[in-house]
Amino acid sequence: CLYFRTLQQMKAKAKGAKKGYDLLKKKADAIKSFLQKILRKILAVKERVGRLTQQAGVLHTKAICFAGEFNNQVIQSTPSEAAFKVSASEGNIAGVRIPIFERAGSDVESVQLVGLSAGGQQVAHCRKAYYAVMKDLVDLASLKTQLVVLDDAFKVTNRRVNALDYVVMPRIHNTIKYIQDELDELEREEFSRLQKVKDVLEEKAREADKALQASMNSGNKAAARPSGQQSMLKQKANEFGDLAGLGDIM
């Protein structure tokens, strides 16, 4: 029956929708958990960056006091190759690819001619402080990029979860209910038809029984009449024999 095939197909769709809903719900929960962790990390890194930037500014002021104005000298003596490099890679969180920025290479001290005459130690402290700020800035950029990517993925996944929960699954369940109601109606109609057929067959059986009973009664009456005639003939034959015996005696 077409209704049964459609019902089986809709039940299979409902099962698949439920499975997809559970998977997407778990994915959304996992992304939400990572978002909360990233937000906590961002707050911690921001606080650390603010503190280190303040310390680096103080050290820079001290270095200027001891070594004099050396900014132009540092810019002129900058090597062709960057001393601070950043590498980009990819991570995977709940099926979502996220970028990861990290410091590339090791902390190799480049040769600087600044501070050879005076204030060299203060310049080195200033340089280390700004290196620490740069590392935290790279981490902060990585975390903020991950936050944006995961937030977009969370919104898309949440929309899919809501679509399955409020649109797709109710529509499938309503279709299944409609098909089941139609099947129940067909079953009631079939039961009524079978009941009527049963009533008709029982009526015909009663009529056949009545006809058979009537034919049996008429047959019994017909059999009773010949037996009565034979008894009368036997009676007359006996009377005739008695008369014949009397004639012989006389």
Side-chain angles (χ1 to χ4, degrees):
C1 181
L2 180 61
Y3 281 115
F4 284 107
R5 290 198 299 270
T6 307
L7 181 61
Q8 295 299 324
Q9 291 175 0
M10 296 308 296
K11 285 184 177 180
K13 286 184 179 180
K15 185 177 179 181
K18 184 64 170 61
K19 185 176 181 180
Y21 172 80
D22 293 336
L23 292 175
L24 288 175
K25 186 66 176 175
K26 290 180 180 178
K27 181 179 179 180
D29 293 340
I31 293 175
K32 185 177 180 180
S33 176
F34 278 107
L35 280 174
Q36 293 175 352
K37 291 181 180 178
I38 289 175
L39 284 173
R40 288 194 293 268
K41 288 181 180 179
I42 287 175
L43 290 176
V45 173
K46 278 186 174 181
E47 292 178 357
R48 190 167 64 248
V49 166
R51 186 175 64 255
L52 290 177
T53 303
Q54 185 178 4
Q55 293 176 0
V58 172
L59 291 174
H60 182 262
T61 304
K62 287 183 178 180
I64 291 176
C65 292
F66 283 94
E69 185 64 36
F70 58 87
N71 292 335
N72 294 329
Q73 187 179 356
V74 170
I75 294 172
Q76 292 175 2
S77 63
T78 300
S80 59
E81 186 179 359
F84 192 96
K85 297 180 181 179
V86 178
S87 63
S89 60
E90 281 190 354
N92 193 325
I93 295 177
V96 181
R97 292 183 177 181
I98 57 172
I100 300 174
F101 302 139
E102 294 177 341
R103 167 76 193 281
S106 59
D107 297 335
V108 179
E109 294 287 341
S110 59
V111 178
Q112 295 287 343
L113 300 178
V114 180
L116 293 179
S117 59
Q121 188 176 4
Q122 297 298 327
V123 172
H125 290 328
C126 178
R127 181 174 180 276
K128 289 180 180 179
Y130 277 108
Y131 257 79
V133 172
M134 288 293 294
K135 289 179 181 179
D136 286 339
L137 287 176
V138 170
D139 293 338
L140 185 61
S142 179
L143 290 172
K144 283 192 172 183
T145 307
Q146 294 173 13
L147 180 66
V148 172
V149 174
L150 287 177
D151 186 59
D152 293 338
F154 178 73
K155 289 178 181 178
V156 173
T157 306
N158 204 25
R159 283 197 296 267
R160 291 177 180 176
V161 170
N162 292 332
L164 285 173
D165 192 16
Y166 296 107
V167 179
V168 178
M169 293 175 66
R171 187 179 298 172
I172 293 175
H173 290 314
N174 290 334
T175 305
I176 292 175
K177 185 178 181 300
Y178 172 76
I179 295 173
Q180 288 177 345
D181 292 340
E182 289 293 327
L183 290 174
D184 293 339
E185 184 66 24
L186 290 176
E187 186 177 356
R188 285 191 293 269
E189 291 178 359
E190 184 69 16
F191 179 77
S192 300
R193 187 181 68 82
L194 292 176
Q195 190 67 32
K196 289 181 180 180
V197 171
K198 181 181 177 182
D199 295 339
V200 171
L201 292 177
E202 289 179 353
E203 184 66 24
K204 288 183 178 180
R206 285 194 295 269
E207 291 177 358
D209 291 338
K210 290 180 180 179
L212 181 61
Q213 188 68 27
S215 63
M216 291 178 64
N217 292 334
S218 62
N220 291 332
K221 291 179 180 179
R225 280 196 295 270
S227 62
Q229 293 177 358
Q230 289 178 1
S231 61
M232 290 175 65
L233 291 175
K234 287 181 180 180
Q235 186 177 0
K236 289 182 180 182
N238 291 331
E239 292 176 356
F240 181 76
D242 293 337
L243 292 174
L246 290 173
D248 292 336
I249 295 172
M250 295 177 63

